[in-house]
Amino acid sequence: MTPELRIVHLDDDLAVVDKPAGLVVHPAPSHSGPTLVSELGDLLGGGDPERPGIVHRLDKDTSGLMVVARGPEALAALQGAVRAREVERHYLALAGGRLASRTGTIDAPIGRATRRRTRMAVAGAASREARTHFEVLELLPRESYVEARLETGRTHQIRAHFAAIGHPLVGDSTYGGKDRYGLGRQFLHAHRLAFRHPRTGAPLDFKSPLPADLAAALEAARGE
């Protein structure tokens, strides 16, 4: 059973939600089931009718925090903040292998892979600048538990970047990661989201703990 979508903050301008893995953000021709847009319904507003209020997105099998807008003014302001890199997005990930550096930046442009169109690739078609900063939180026997921070926000950025340096995320079969610990999805969780309120300017900072499946996988990885 898919965990429920959780609303962690709600006001007249925006909502911050904790998206479960398995939930698609907005409707698409290849998906006919429920979406974050359909689950939130009238709470959303502004922008494309197919994806109202969507400021940024998470992959279907990535869990964690997202901000959505409740009207066109908030949507424009929040999207502008994302473009200006004023929205902090931090993720927890389990990368295959042991990273040699405890901190670093992966600075490599990302575009659509030419052979597999469902993938993104470093130096792929129509590549755009992409930077991911990371810190190793724990070096485990066979993996590295890391916090990754997006400077840019390209599709599949963290997944493609860690695959490109030879450390694909655990469970990420699309990018060559091994499906260990019975996860059945990539170990990637958007655990912190910080930004200024689009109307008042007040600082907002939210955190989300690891969901149960990732927490269990991390404990198993520690015991290898």
Side-chain angles (χ1 to χ4, degrees):
M1 181 180 296
T2 301
E4 291 185 2
L5 177 69
R6 187 169 66 93
I7 298 174
V8 299
H9 173 85
L10 181 66
D11 63 38
D12 290 341
D13 299 290
L14 60 90
V16 174
V17 300
D18 200 342
K19 186 188 85 68
L23 184 65
V24 171
V25 170
H26 53 71
S30 60
H31 179 75
S32 59
T35 65
L36 182 142
V37 167
S38 67
E39 292 290 298
L40 292 177
D42 292 341
L43 285 180
L44 298 173
D48 183 341
E50 290 295 310
R51 54 185 79 181
I54 299 302
V55 176
H56 60 108
R57 58 183 296 276
L58 294 176
D59 299 331
K60 173 185 176 184
D61 288 327
T62 298
S63 54
L65 296 171
M66 292 179 57
V67 58
V68 295
R70 302 194 63 195
E73 295 84 3
L75 178 63
L78 288 166
Q79 288 177 333
V82 170
R83 287 192 296 272
R85 300 173 187 173
E86 296 169 350
V87 177
E88 291 188 43
R89 289 174 284 173
H90 299 250
Y91 294 71
L92 297 173
L94 191 62
R98 291 164 60 89
L99 273 72
S101 175
R102 296 301 295 251
T103 62
T105 297
I106 306 170
D107 187 350
I110 291 175
R112 187 69 60 180
T114 54
R115 294 185 179 180
R116 292 181 59 186
R117 303 297 292 174
T118 58
R119 288 182 47 156
M120 306 301 285
V122 167
S127 289
R128 301 170 68 189
E129 66 170 341
R131 278 181 293 279
T132 303
H133 307 283
F134 70 86
E135 177 184 358
V136 176
L137 302 178
E138 290 184 61
L139 277 177
L140 304 174
R142 297 175 65 175
E143 287 100 11
S144 301
Y145 182 42
V146 302
E147 181 182 51
R149 178 176 65 83
L150 292 178
E151 181 175 329
T152 57
R154 310 303 176 207
T155 300
H156 294 185
Q157 178 173 315
I158 293 171
R159 300 166 62 190
H161 267 171
F162 276 90
I165 64 170
H167 296 278
L169 303 188
V170 168
D172 192 355
S173 58
T174 299
Y175 289 92
K178 294 182 179 180
D179 188 10
R180 289 165 52 74
Y181 314 117
L183 271 178
R185 61 122 161 172
Q186 64 264 13
F187 192 121
L188 186 61
H189 179 67
H191 87 110
R192 183 176 173 223
L193 183 64
F195 57 95
R196 290 194 173 274
H197 193 279
R199 181 170 50 83
T200 69
L204 300 173
D205 196 335
F206 303 94
K207 292 183 179 179
S208 167
L210 280 178
D213 62 337
L214 300 189
L218 179 59
E219 284 305 307
R222 286 169 171 154
E224 280 281 307

